[in-house]
Amino acid sequence: MISLQQIKLLVRQRDFSLSDYQVDATATMLLDDISNCRYDFSNYSRNVFTQQGKKRIIYAYPKFSCEDILCQYLKRQLDLTFGIKYASRSRIMNMLFNVLPIVKDLNDFVIVRIDFKSFFDSVLTKHVYDKYIKESSLKRSDKELFELYTNVFKYCYAGLCLSNGMTEIVCRDFDESIKAKLSQHGVFFYERYVDDIIIILNKYISKGLLLELMNETVKEIFGNSPVKLATSPDKFTYIAKRELSPNDIAIISFLGYEFSIKYLINDGESEFKFKFGITEKKRKNMAALWNEL
């Protein structure tokens, strides 16, 4: 079970402004409550936020509650046990900026951007627990806490600190499986940021076969979870070099940036030009932020 020293560390990380006395007092009280099982994972708040016209439900525990600290603790144990390393948006974009100039010189290429539909509201916590956590090297007491937690939350809802870790465990399997299936099509670049994926292949694959392989992999990896790929135009982009016509301009958006690919023919020679910039949506968000300041 969680120790006093671990609780102190978590309390300090939750609020660096606390004095040593406040940290000690809070941690001692929390340890007593936890040791006597005075916690209930159903004591959460459920708030609805509207962002850009879309409603999002965020689940959360009161700061410094037993449930809050236990979830922070379980997340640390999960990260350590499974060696979870969370993706860096800036690292991915830097890599992509370096790769794109090379792509235009490939004999063939396919660029795909895709994500999952309502991802955090569709990954079953029980699936993650049964397939990964139950047989892991986590301590039995930690597994018992996880089981209590999964009995309260059916899905890995947004706002809960355990959701990112639990979904990441499954997504790593998805990454490896889909890369293996696409290997014969030359996976030149593959990166995923949470549920947003970009793939660059140096061999042709049709849109139909690509989606077939990805949907097949979703079913294999996510089990009974109702996870689905988002295939609407603003969520899914497929660009194949051999399917572009002269003067075509293909546009792909990823993590707030927009990339355009223009196919030109000059003096009988084909040429591809790449440009990139911040998406209109991101520009509007930045403008709105400045107006509020």
Side-chain angles (χ1 to χ4, degrees), residues 8-272:
K8 286 182 180 180
L9 179 62
L10 291 169
V11 171
R12 171 62 71 202
Q13 290 177 336
R14 295 293 278 148
D15 191 340
F16 286 100
S17 69
L18 295 178
S19 66
D20 289 343
Y21 172 79
Q22 288 173 312
V23 170
D24 290 344
T26 303
T28 300
M29 179 184 66
L30 285 166
L31 180 61
D32 181 63
D33 286 341
I34 292 170
S35 299
N36 290 285
C37 299
R38 291 193 289 269
Y39 53 83
D40 183 352
F41 286 116
S42 64
N43 291 331
Y44 58 82
S45 62
R46 183 177 179 274
N47 301 302
V48 180
F49 293 91
T50 302
Q51 186 177 31
Q52 297 168 358
K54 294 182 180 179
K55 289 185 177 180
R56 295 187 63 194
I57 299 174
I58 303 296
Y59 295 81
Y61 289 114
K63 189 176 178 180
F64 297 138
S65 65
C66 287
E67 297 79 16
D68 172 49
I69 294 299
L70 282 175
C71 285
Q72 297 293 333
Y73 163 75
L74 289 175
K75 181 183 182 300
R76 286 177 63 87
Q77 300 308 107
L78 200 67
D79 290 349
L80 289 170
T81 301
F82 289 90
I84 300 173
K85 295 181 179 179
Y86 298 96
S88 163
R89 180 189 293 261
S90 59
R91 183 192 67 84
I92 291 174
M93 294 314 301
N94 285 333
M95 290 174 62
L96 186 56
F97 291 148
N98 289 326
V99 162
L100 283 176
I102 303 171
V103 173
K104 64 183 178 63
D105 296 322
L106 296 175
N107 291 328
D108 207 350
F109 65 76
V110 172
I111 304 175
V112 179
R113 181 260 173 168
I114 194 167
D115 65 9
F116 298 102
K117 186 176 182 180
S118 302
F119 184 60
F120 288 100
D121 292 346
S122 58
V123 179
L124 290 168
T125 57
K126 184 169 176 53
H127 172 69
V128 182
Y129 176 78
D130 288 343
K131 186 175 181 180
Y132 300 94
I133 297 174
K134 192 174 183 178
E135 302 303 323
S136 72
S137 60
L138 277 171
K139 292 185 295 185
R140 186 177 68 178
S141 57
D142 293 345
K143 291 178 183 179
E144 290 172 351
L145 286 173
F146 262 112
E147 192 166 14
L148 290 174
Y149 178 88
T150 58
N151 287 337
V152 172
F153 295 104
K154 184 176 182 180
Y155 297 106
C156 297
Y157 295 117
L160 297 167
C161 72
L162 281 172
S163 293
N164 283 346
M166 294 181 76
T167 54
E168 188 63 25
I169 292 171
V170 194
C171 282
R172 290 192 311 185
D173 264 6
F174 176 84
D175 295 340
E176 294 307 311
S177 182
I178 194 63
K179 282 191 286 186
K181 290 181 180 181
L182 292 174
S183 59
Q184 62 182 310
H185 300 283
V187 181
F188 184 73
F189 184 86
Y190 179 101
E191 288 294 333
R192 174 182 53 80
Y193 184 78
V194 189
D195 61 340
D196 211 343
I197 302 169
I198 188 163
I199 309 170
I200 303 176
L201 309 167
N202 60 19
K203 292 182 182 179
Y204 178 75
I205 182 173
S206 68
K207 183 197 295 187
L209 179 56
L210 173 80
L211 287 173
E212 181 182 327
L213 290 175
M214 296 197 78
N215 283 318
E216 177 184 285
T217 307
V218 167
K219 291 180 181 178
E220 290 173 358
I221 301 300
F222 290 97
N224 293 324
S225 298
V227 176
K228 293 183 180 180
L229 296 172
T231 54
S232 58
D234 62 323
K235 296 290 185 179
F236 173 65
T237 306
Y238 167 90
I239 301 170
K241 178 179 180 179
R242 65 175 61 182
E243 293 182 13
L244 292 173
S245 301
N247 297 318
D248 273 357
I249 299 177
I251 296 175
I252 185 168
S253 297
F254 184 67
L255 299 185
Y257 289 87
E258 185 174 274
F259 305 87
S260 67
I261 307 169
K262 187 172 184 179
Y263 177 31
L264 300 170
I265 295 183
N266 294 318
D267 298 325
E269 296 290 330
S270 61
E271 180 184 7
F272 290 87

